[in-house]
Amino acid sequence: VDARDAAGGPLDLCLVSNVLVYCSDEPSAAVLAALLESGVKAILLNERGGEQKMVGMVERHGVVVAKLLDQDSAAGRDDRQLVFAPAGTSLPSPSGALAHVFPNVPYEESKQR
C-alpha cells in the first residue's frame, strides 16, 4: 500500500511532524523522494531539531528543499520548518519573496542574555 492508496485518491501535500528523529537514513530519504516522484506536490515538515541531516540526503535524490525559517536571524542553521518539493520545482525564497508571519525565535540556549 502506498500513500496514495492510503489516502483514497490523489495526494497533493504530505505533512510530517516530528518524525525525522526516527527516520534519518537513506531508505527514508528514498521514500520521501519517491512520494514526490509519484505526484505529491510538496511535503511540509515541522521538526524539533535545528539541524536535519535528511536535508542533504533528499537533496542527493534531486529533491528541492526550502527552509521556511529565516536563516539569518537564527543562531546558525535552522531546519525546524521545511518544504520538500519535486526536482525542478521553483520555490520562492522565504527571505526575499515571502514575508515571515512569525519571526524566527532562537532556542532558549541561543537567546542573548
Side-chain angles (χ1 to χ4, degrees), residues 7-82:
L11 189 61
D12 291 329
L13 175 70
C14 292
L15 177 61
V16 176
S17 182
N18 298 312
V19 296
L20 289 186
V21 67
Y22 308 108
C23 305
S24 58
D25 56 9
E26 284 297 334
S28 298
V31 167
L32 293 170
L35 275 172
L36 294 167
E37 292 165 0
S38 74
V40 172
K41 293 177 179 58
I43 301 172
L44 176 63
L45 297 100
N46 182 65
E47 296 296 328
R48 291 185 187 134
E51 292 189 23
Q52 300 298 326
K53 68 180 187 175
M54 183 60 70
V55 169
M57 286 188 257
V58 296
E59 286 176 331
R60 285 191 290 280
H61 285 270
V63 171
V64 175
V65 176
K67 296 180 179 189
L68 298 180
L69 292 175
D70 184 357
Q71 300 296 299
D72 295 328
S73 68
R77 178 175 161 183
D78 196 338
D79 297 343
R80 290 180 290 165
Q81 294 180 351
L82 304 164

